Amino acid sequence: MAKPPQEPRIAEIVALVRPIVPQIQTERLAEIVVAVAPVPLTQRLLELALIKQPGVLEGKHRNVPVTVQDLAHALVDEGTDTIVLPTCESCGRAVRMPHKTPTGGRHCSRCERNARSVACATCGRVRPVQRTIDGRRYCRECWRADPRSFDDCSRCGQRATIVVRRPELICLGCYTAPIKTCGLCGEPGRVATHIDGRRVCARCYYAMRSPQPCPECGRKVFLTGFMNGQKVCAECAGSPITMACPGCGSIEEIRKHHLCVECRRPIAIRQLLADEAGGIRAELQPLAEYLITHHGSAVSLERWLHKSKCATVLRELADGTVSLTADAIITRAQSGQSVAFLLSLLVRAGVLPELDVEVARFDHWLEHWLPGIEDVEDRLILRRYCTWELLRSTRAFRSTPGSRSRSASGFQKQRAAMKYCAALLQEIRSRKETLATFPQRSLDAYVTDSPSQRDALAPFTRWLRRHRLSTLKVEFRISRLEGRDYASDHRWQMARRFLTDPSVDPSTRAAGLLVLLYGLHLTRIVTLTRDQVDATSRPVKLTIGTEPIELPEILGEAIVALVERTMQRPEAWLFPGRNPGHHLTPGPISRRLRDEGLRSGSARTTALIELSRQMHPRIVSDLLGITPAAAAAWGRLAGGDWTEYPDLRSKAD
């Protein structure tokens, strides 16, 4: 009869699991633990696994012990959605996996049998290999029936299956792997393999599974040969090539698994998107094909599949936990970046119909934010203002060609504006007033020096007056062009650094020079495409406005490098972003320039002032793609006088 479970150990396991599944009561969680681990031994194993492998229930480890697997399935059956079920490394099914793989993962019993299956030398059936002698492989049944498999063990004296025959016969029960001195590091360890007659311990063996520069030929490959007392590649050592990927034969890719990461890409994607039956649903098949063909680095894809929260949401989409709709994905993902990435990925892959991701995010936010407004009349006013004023202008702007690919900062400003308007209405209600009776002097006292508050309340009060709901008024801020500028010498000093420093990344170099030389705003730079570059001519030409600009040689080389770097992408952006189909946002570029000591806003002001002094506003408008009014304003700010320009031009002609 089994001993009763130890209450302190059960409490410790419950304390470890409770933060992950707070929706399950402590008493019920203790009952689940007792059902999964009814005896002290399994309870101790379960406790050790949870302590030594933090996050094992959340999918952060590949080698999940069987007791933890049973606990994960029991918690999922209880209805929790925070547990990630471990899946088989080969078939991707979320079933019980009692077998470890050589790569540190887990196999189900079916895949373990398949992995060890070859044609038996005796019966001819494709079965798991039990023994290999003289190149002939035997299945378990045939080998056990073979007289050569039995002998008297020299240690226990029993007649049993022998696993070691030299220098003495040792049966399976008596065998212990010896510890030998490694022929590479000189440290004692269990032998993992032999290379060139040298013993190789497990530490050195797994270090060989990452490519390193060969001291002889300089190639970054597996160093599995020896020459002149150092590790070199097999070709330089004149030895057979070992540890090559069985899928492609490569010795240049990291071997985290039986296959290299590139050959493992389809398997990893199938594991991500497979349902309980081990297949990929028809509606998610385009996503699998997109991830296989369009994701650049297999290493980064592997890392993303195991660590990203977005991958967790995709697994839930695959098993049907989350419905394949934009609203359900926004609710589940929660994080703004995750939502934008997932929706962009699914739209780009053709899984979801074409939609404006930022509009969908804003509509979802509005539907969940408005019910939080207590007063029904305030809620109605805010909805009317948002629908007929804010969203109408934004949607008209984003319907123009190229505008939908721009940053989501406009919707962030709209969220902030709605909150400022709601705060004003709440202030009016708290003073027992209405929009019609609230005095202007009280509004003037309420408005602070915050530019964002004034930018939000000025159009709101104008809309209220236009619809005769109030006479309140908040003045708009005066738009000014002037700002902190660089000294001209400092601008050219920074330009020389970006032109001559070889350590600057091409994307950072190109962005910095476009700001310093032409005064382009970062929001314009990140939307540049390959179609705007003429790399066939020398010097390289870049079309920003209506007329192309001949670029300096260094800047032209940086632009051409960006074109070549992004040539494999279906999108034409020179600065591709994190979200599929979208360009980079200005924030990362601004941080890179700031790390190099360049303040983009001040540099842009200086560049535009100096260009406006040297050229007519109409030429500045044609070259830089700004409006003639803006070019004229910069010309006035620069103090230039071009009143005689038409006469001079006609005389020159």
Side-chain angles (χ1 to χ4, degrees):
M1 181 177 180
K3 297 181 180 179
Q6 299 178 2
E7 294 299 328
R9 183 158 292 163
I10 295 295
E12 293 174 1
I13 297 174
V14 170
L16 292 171
V17 180
R18 176 67 175 167
I20 307 175
V21 287
Q23 64 272 29
I24 301 180
Q25 298 296 327
T26 303
E27 296 77 8
R28 176 55 185 160
L29 189 56
E31 295 176 359
I32 295 175
V33 172
V34 172
V36 171
V39 297
L41 176 59
T42 55
Q43 294 168 11
R44 179 57 178 165
L45 293 175
L46 179 58
E47 180 185 5
L48 288 176
L50 294 175
I51 294 175
K52 292 182 178 181
Q53 296 177 289
V56 68
L57 290 173
E58 299 170 279
K60 297 182 179 179
H61 296 273
R62 296 170 51 241
N63 185 10
V64 183
V66 176
T67 53
V68 181
Q69 297 177 32
D70 295 340
L71 177 61
H73 282 276
L75 293 175
V76 170
D77 293 340
E78 193 67 16
T80 180
D81 58 354
T82 57
I83 301 298
V84 178
L85 292 178
T87 57
C88 175
E89 188 175 284
S90 295
C91 66
R93 296 185 303 161
V95 296
R96 206 167 192 265
M97 299 170 291
H99 307 281
K100 296 181 181 179
T101 66
T103 59
R106 286 275 175 168
H107 266 169
C108 64
S109 298
R110 184 181 70 181
C111 292
E112 179 69 14
R113 290 193 300 270
N114 294 337
R116 299 179 54 198
S117 297
V118 295
C120 176
T122 301
C123 65
R125 293 180 297 176
V126 178
R127 313 270 318 258
V129 177
Q130 177 69 20
R131 184 71 173 177
T132 300
I133 297 179
D134 297 331
R136 305 186 68 190
R137 299 177 178 180
Y138 301 89
C139 65
R140 180 186 297 270
E141 289 78 4
C142 294
W143 175 246
R144 286 183 175 179
D146 195 305
R148 294 173 294 180
S149 65
F150 292 90
D151 215 324
D152 296 329
C153 177
S154 59
R155 294 186 179 179
C156 65
Q158 296 181 357
R159 187 169 181 81
T161 301
I162 302 300
V163 295
V164 175
R165 295 182 176 271
R166 293 189 302 269
E168 56 181 343
L169 301 178
I170 304 176
C171 70
L172 182 61
C174 298
Y175 175 75
T176 302
I179 296 178
K180 300 289 185 178
T181 300
C182 177
L184 298 183
C185 65
E187 297 293 332
R190 301 196 182 277
V191 178
T193 187
H194 290 78
I195 298 179
D196 196 19
R198 300 170 183 251
R199 299 188 187 96
V200 179
C201 68
R203 293 185 297 271
C204 295
Y205 171 72
Y206 283 103
M208 289 181 177
R209 296 165 69 90
S210 295
Q212 300 175 7
C214 176
E216 295 293 328
C217 63
R219 294 186 306 155
K220 193 174 182 181
V221 295
F222 293 156
L223 305 184
T224 58
F226 302 93
M227 188 172 63
N228 300 328
Q230 61 182 355
K231 291 191 296 183
V232 296
C233 68
E235 292 185 6
C236 293
S239 58
I241 297 177
T242 59
M243 297 178 62
C245 172
C248 63
S250 171
I251 56 173
E252 302 175 358
E253 297 289 342
I254 297 176
R255 293 283 299 281
K256 292 184 178 179
H257 310 278
H258 179 63
L259 299 171
C260 69
V261 290
E262 187 64 40
C263 292
R264 184 175 162 75
R265 182 201 297 252
I267 300 175
I269 294 173
R270 185 173 66 249
Q271 291 177 355
L272 172 70
L273 301 179
D275 55 15
E276 295 182 356
I280 300 178
R281 294 160 51 189
E283 54 266 32
L284 292 179
Q285 194 64 43
L287 176 59
E289 297 174 359
Y290 180 87
L291 290 176
I292 291 175
T293 57
H294 289 81
H295 201 288
S297 171
V299 176
S300 64
L301 174 64
E302 191 88 15
R303 189 183 308 115
W304 176 77
L305 292 177
H306 286 88
K307 296 183 178 181
S308 173
K309 294 181 179 178
C310 296
T312 303
V313 179
L314 289 179
R315 291 189 187 95
E316 295 177 358
L317 287 173
D319 60 24
T321 306
V322 177
S323 60
L324 195 57
T325 61
D327 191 68
I329 294 172
I330 295 173
T331 303
R332 173 64 182 89
Q334 296 181 351
S335 170
Q337 289 185 348
S338 299
V339 169
F341 176 81
L342 281 173
L343 292 181
S344 301
L345 175 64
L346 295 174
V347 169
R348 191 68 183 176
V351 176
L352 289 180
E354 189 69 26
L355 58 87
D356 192 321
V357 174
E358 298 304 327
V359 170
R361 287 181 57 196
F362 183 83
D363 291 343
H364 183 272
W365 172 84
L366 186 65
E367 292 302 320
H368 287 77
W369 177 76
L370 275 178
I373 306 299
E374 297 181 358
D375 190 84
V376 178
E377 185 176 349
D378 291 350
R379 196 184 312 155
L380 179 61
I381 291 175
L382 290 172
R383 182 178 288 278
R384 289 175 56 193
Y385 174 66
C386 181
T387 303
W388 299 107
E389 186 70 15
L390 290 182
L391 289 184
R392 185 178 63 175
S393 59
T394 301
R395 284 171 173 160
F397 167 74
R398 292 176 71 86
S399 64
T400 59
S403 62
R404 288 186 56 183
S405 61
R406 299 185 184 178
S407 171
S409 59
F411 284 102
Q412 295 175 1
K413 293 179 180 178
Q414 287 191 357
R415 293 185 185 95
M418 291 293 291
K419 293 177 181 179
Y420 278 121
C421 297
L424 174 61
L425 295 177
Q426 185 178 3
E427 176 69 16
I428 294 175
R429 299 293 179 190
S430 65
R431 298 191 182 187
K432 308 301 182 182
E433 299 282 354
T434 64
L435 285 171
T437 61
F438 192 67
Q440 180 67 39
R441 62 179 181 275
S442 299
L443 177 61
D444 295 338
Y446 172 77
V447 176
T448 64
D449 294 332
S450 169
S452 56
Q453 184 196 43
R454 186 173 293 274
D455 289 344
L457 295 183
F460 180 57
T461 54
R462 181 182 59 184
W463 179 81
L464 291 174
R465 293 194 308 273
R466 188 166 65 245
H467 290 79
R468 298 182 181 181
L469 298 175
S470 174
T471 59
L472 299 174
K473 185 177 184 180
V474 175
E475 297 292 341
F476 286 84
R477 284 193 299 156
I478 299 177
S479 177
R480 300 180 183 274
L481 292 177
E482 58 265 30
R484 294 189 306 168
D485 56 348
Y486 277 172
S488 180
D489 293 342
H490 182 63
R491 174 197 173 208
W492 289 113
Q493 179 182 357
M494 292 296 302
R496 280 192 294 271
R497 179 185 173 188
F498 276 86
L499 286 168
T500 58
D501 190 351
S503 63
V504 179
D505 182 76
S507 61
T508 307
R509 185 196 304 277
L513 290 175
L514 289 174
V515 172
L516 288 165
L517 300 182
Y518 305 107
L520 292 185
H521 201 284
L522 292 181
T523 56
R524 294 280 304 281
I525 293 175
V526 296
T527 58
L528 294 176
T529 63
R530 294 193 295 264
D531 298 335
Q532 297 175 252
V533 181
D534 182 8
T536 59
S537 62
R538 289 295 180 271
V540 177
K541 296 180 181 179
L542 176 65
T543 303
I544 303 172
T546 58
E547 297 293 332
I549 301 174
E550 294 184 352
L551 303 178
E553 182 179 357
I554 302 298
L555 177 56
E557 292 177 356
I559 294 293
V560 171
L562 294 182
V563 172
E564 294 175 351
R565 181 188 294 181
T566 60
M567 193 60 69
Q568 301 300 326
R569 292 177 173 266
E571 303 87 7
W573 306 116
L574 291 183
F575 298 86
R578 173 178 177 267
N579 297 341
H582 294 266
H583 58 73
L584 190 67
T585 57
I589 290 289
S590 178
R591 287 192 290 271
R592 294 181 206 168
L593 297 178
R594 201 159 49 239
D595 293 340
E596 299 291 339
L598 176 62
R599 299 194 306 271
S600 59
S602 301
R604 175 175 177 269
T605 300
T606 303
L608 285 175
I609 289 176
E610 294 191 7
L611 288 173
S612 299
R613 287 173 183 165
Q614 299 168 8
M615 295 184 292
H616 189 271
R618 187 67 188 182
I619 298 178
V620 175
S621 173
D622 292 341
L623 292 178
L624 303 184
I626 61 178
T627 62
W634 281 108
R636 290 192 298 270
L637 183 62
D641 185 6
W642 293 93
T643 55
E644 301 296 327
Y645 174 74
D647 295 337
L648 294 175
R649 185 175 180 181
S650 62
K651 292 177 182 179
D653 295 340

